[in-house]
Amino acid sequence: MYGPDGFYRRPEGPAGHFRTSVHASPLFAAAVARLLCRVDRALGRPAALDFVDMAAGRGELAAGVLAALPADVAARTRVHAVEIAARPEGLDNRIAWSEQPPRGITGLLFANEWLDNVPVEVVEVDSAGVPRQVLVRRDGAERLGEPVTGARARWLDRWWPLATEQGLRAEIGLPRDAAWAAAVSRVERGLAVAVDYAHTAGARPPFGTLTGFREGRETAPVPDGSCDITAHVALDACAASAPEGARLLTQREALHALGVTGARPPLSLASTRPSEYVRSLARAGEAAELTAPGGLGGFGWLAHPAGLAEADAAALFVDVPDHEEH
């Protein structure tokens, strides 16, 4: 997907093919900015505060967070967009652009829909009840390969045990566990958050989740660079790959704690301040989309604190009225 003609190097970028929470509403970036402010407060408002946007796309989240920060926090914030594709033209020059996250991060590393694109191996149970690798050609044709052994077999046994029924599938998340552990290790003090399509033990999909997306529609996951290829993330396995203290939430829970609720404005506002009512109603609709249990609100959030007191880390996702945050 990142080859010379790969999907993610196309000029239209990911937003030309699918909507993430970032594209759905500026409320998402504002909520992430609010989380960064809470991390800032937990860190004692350091002289330099980092915000790292993993898999930054075209820099939409990085720019949105920077714009939503209070002026005093923005003045101290170093924004890093981490992306393999080239830096887009016109991006705010306050945003650094690189292929790797910086080391020694003090602040917030935020990975929105990154881990689902970290490659995984797909396995399928054969007629003898043995899990085997699924091999794929460039045109998408598949066949079964060798039985799963070693570390991959141990990962399956622990995180996604398969029955012997022919055709059952799983996606081995070892590369994602390693990628997440490496990202968390870059945070010296603060918080690392991964947001993604996710599942946990006890609710694994029996036939896996591998799929493709092109031009807003689901399509066959053909590995020729013409579409996005994605698979949901075993976030509980990722949580166990890094130091203790991780917290798993749904996006609905996380955004509610960060002040995005989708509550309708009072009807009385329609007659006294109609323009404000219309704007508030639009924001409520956007918030409802971001927090819908069967949609974006069902995404998983994995929050990994580093160098924070336990009480400070716990307070990051506690609903606090706006007037008490500043």
Side-chain angles (χ1 to χ4, degrees):
M1 290 192 292
Y2 282 101
D5 300 313
F7 176 82
Y8 279 112
R9 293 197 187 272
R10 294 185 172 197
E12 71 273 16
H17 296 270
F18 51 82
R19 290 170 82 236
T20 69
S21 297
V22 178
H23 308 122
S25 171
L27 292 175
F28 188 79
V32 177
R34 191 172 296 117
L35 178 59
L36 178 60
C37 288
R38 293 183 181 183
V39 171
D40 180 46
R41 187 169 63 249
L43 292 171
R45 295 182 172 85
L49 179 70
D50 294 308
F51 175 68
V52 180
D53 180 11
M54 291 291 295
R58 295 300 181 267
E60 298 96 336
L61 179 61
V65 168
L66 187 56
L69 289 173
D72 62 314
V73 180
R76 293 185 286 109
T77 300
R78 302 177 297 195
V79 182
H80 311 264
V82 181
E83 176 59 65
I84 296 176
R87 181 188 181 99
E89 294 183 7
L91 186 67
D92 192 313
N93 59 18
R94 293 175 294 174
I95 300 173
W97 193 270
S98 61
E99 293 189 5
Q100 295 291 333
R103 296 184 182 276
I105 295 166
T106 297
L108 173 62
L109 179 146
F110 200 86
N112 185 60
E113 296 195 41
W114 168 50
L115 290 174
D116 68 295
N117 285 131
V118 173
V120 291
E121 288 193 54
V122 179
V123 300
E124 182 177 314
V125 178
D126 68 11
S127 58
V130 177
R132 292 179 176 271
Q133 291 177 286
V134 176
L135 306 180
V136 60
R137 296 192 318 206
R138 187 176 174 85
D139 64 2
E142 296 179 348
R143 68 175 178 86
L144 296 186
E146 295 297 313
V148 178
T149 59
R152 293 170 298 173
R154 291 191 292 273
W155 190 95
L156 274 182
D157 288 341
R158 180 178 180 186
W159 296 109
W160 199 330
L162 290 168
T164 57
E165 180 184 343
Q166 184 178 2
L168 294 180
R169 282 193 169 198
E171 292 127 10
I172 300 177
L174 274 172
R176 290 162 174 188
D177 298 350
W180 181 242
V184 172
S185 74
R186 300 291 182 113
V187 182
E188 188 171 299
R189 296 178 63 229
L191 185 71
V193 176
V195 180
D196 237 308
Y197 297 97
H199 46 65
T200 55
R204 306 286 190 214
F207 301 104
T209 63
L210 185 73
T211 190
F213 284 96
R214 183 191 298 115
E215 296 177 356
R217 296 185 178 183
E218 193 167 3
T219 186
V222 179
D224 62 359
S226 67
C227 66
D228 179 34
I229 299 176
T230 178
H232 295 196
V233 183
L235 277 183
D236 48 350
C238 292
S241 70
E244 295 183 4
R247 181 177 179 182
L248 279 168
L249 309 89
T250 65
Q251 176 155 299
R252 181 180 178 86
E253 294 168 333
L255 291 186
H256 279 185
L258 293 169
V260 181
T261 65
R264 292 172 62 90
L267 191 58
S268 59
L269 197 63
S271 56
T272 58
R273 286 176 285 175
S275 296
E276 183 178 340
Y277 176 78
V278 171
R279 289 193 297 270
S280 297
L281 196 61
R283 286 195 299 270
E286 293 173 3
E289 181 183 3
L290 289 172
T291 59
L296 295 174
F299 270 49
W301 281 46
L302 170 57
H304 238 124
L308 296 180
E310 186 175 343
D312 289 336
L316 295 175
F317 290 99
V318 174
D319 190 7
V320 178
D322 282 345
H323 66 273
E324 295 182 18
E325 292 241 54
H326 304 293

